Amino acid sequence: MGWMGKIVGGTIGFALGGPLGAIFGTAFGHAFDTGSELDAPRGGPRLSRVEQNQLTFFVAAFSMLAKLARADGRVTPEEIDSIEAFMEKDLRLNADSRHAAVNIFRTALNAPGTFDDFARQFYGEFHDQPQMLEVMIEVLLRVAVSDGSMTVKEEELIMVAVNTFRFSSVRYNQLKSKYVKTADKAYAVLGCSPDDDDDQVKRCYRQRVQEYHPDKIAAKGLPDEFTRFAQDKFREIQEAWDQIKEARGIK
């Protein structure tokens, strides 16, 4: 994510308005231009569309996680530990990216923008990219349960994202069951049910593989660190399929 350093240093231009732009501008000292775009070098190079998507995803993720951490009115040491573990173990952020993520997270904790605001702007950017919406929902779920359980208030916020994203409630419950023991995890990963016949399970597997193939995800505009998260998801799909095949005797 080398472009992050260029943005922070003011050597490359970009456009990120709305509540997410306010978070980034406050976190890194950028001024606002006409209230819709962050200040940038006049006539200088600008982020590509993919890089712009990566910036939006990165800022939205850590802004929404900050509001999720404050869901019960305060941020506990355990919640901070879970966010740091997510940065280190799941995303494997380098020093620059980690510093940027921490700045965004801390800024969003006390910012006037709400979780709803961030979710709406994120959906406006990625409404036609269902994989991006699903990755965000799963990021929220993973962090919410990383301290051992998901509180009612945390799930209420996640459901705000589910509803804002017009995300399938069935698919949400399947994702949730990967982290909260409510169903068979392998079937949840593929987006199907233990009651489905072999043909339906195969169809679900093929669809998930197509959606999360690394080459396809790489072209969507996820930041590099979240691309690795999606690659882990792809491996998880393969492992779930292998487990179900063995259990059902599918050749």
Side-chain angles (χ1 to χ4, degrees):
M1 204 170 62
W3 45 265
M4 177 65 81
K6 296 178 182 178
I7 292 174
V8 173
T11 62
I12 193 168
F14 62 102
L16 181 60
L20 293 177
I23 293 295
F24 194 88
T26 301
F28 297 100
H30 283 270
F32 281 96
D33 178 13
T34 71
S36 62
E37 293 189 359
L38 287 175
D39 200 7
R42 301 294 180 184
R46 300 188 69 84
L47 292 182
S48 68
R49 180 60 181 170
V50 170
E51 289 171 333
Q52 186 76 30
N53 285 348
Q54 291 174 340
L55 173 64
T56 302
F57 195 103
F58 193 84
V59 177
F62 288 103
S63 296
M64 292 171 75
L65 287 175
K67 296 304 185 183
L68 186 68
R70 292 206 76 148
D72 58 359
R74 66 188 187 94
V75 182
T76 66
E78 291 78 13
E79 287 170 327
I80 292 295
D81 288 345
S82 71
I83 296 292
E84 291 181 346
F86 178 68
M87 292 180 188
E88 179 180 350
K89 297 177 182 178
D90 291 290
L91 302 183
R92 299 186 289 277
L93 297 184
N94 61 31
D96 289 341
S97 296
R98 186 184 177 90
H99 177 70
V102 169
N103 273 357
I104 292 165
F105 181 85
R106 288 176 175 170
T107 300
L109 278 175
N110 299 304
T114 66
F115 185 95
D116 308 49
D117 293 333
F118 302 147
R120 282 194 294 270
Q121 186 172 354
F122 185 84
Y123 180 72
E125 184 74 21
F126 298 112
H127 63 274
D128 59 348
Q129 299 187 48
Q131 296 98 325
M132 304 287 268
L133 303 176
E134 181 165 314
V135 168
M136 181 61 81
I137 293 292
E138 192 152 2
V139 165
L140 295 169
L141 279 169
R142 183 173 295 196
V143 172
V145 304
S146 62
D147 59 354
S149 64
M150 179 165 58
T151 68
V152 171
K153 289 185 178 180
E154 285 174 334
E155 184 161 28
E156 286 176 353
L157 274 191
I158 294 175
M159 288 305 300
V160 167
V162 169
N163 294 328
T164 300
F165 296 173
R166 301 179 183 178
F167 196 75
S168 162
S169 60
V170 172
R171 183 58 189 149
Y172 169 71
N173 286 322
Q174 290 169 340
L175 289 176
K176 178 182 172 182
S177 69
K178 292 170 55 180
Y179 302 100
V180 180
K181 294 182 179 179
T182 58
D184 188 290
K185 179 178 177 179
Y187 287 96
V189 169
L190 299 189
C192 58
S193 164
D195 297 329
D196 290 334
D197 61 27
D198 288 354
D199 287 342
Q200 176 62 19
V201 173
K202 288 178 183 177
R203 281 193 291 271
C204 289
Y205 163 68
R206 290 166 183 156
Q207 180 180 352
R208 305 301 289 168
V209 165
Q210 183 180 30
E211 289 174 345
Y212 285 94
H213 191 280
D215 291 343
K216 191 165 188 177
I217 287 294
K220 289 291 183 180
L222 276 171
D224 293 344
E225 295 81 3
F226 286 89
T227 297
R228 289 196 291 269
F229 181 87
Q231 289 169 345
D232 289 342
K233 186 177 177 73
F234 183 77
R235 285 191 292 271
E236 187 179 46
I237 291 167
Q238 298 291 355
E239 290 168 0
W241 171 238
D242 290 341
Q243 181 181 337
I244 292 171
K245 273 200 311 181
E246 182 177 355
R248 289 186 174 224
I250 298 175
K251 301 299 183 182

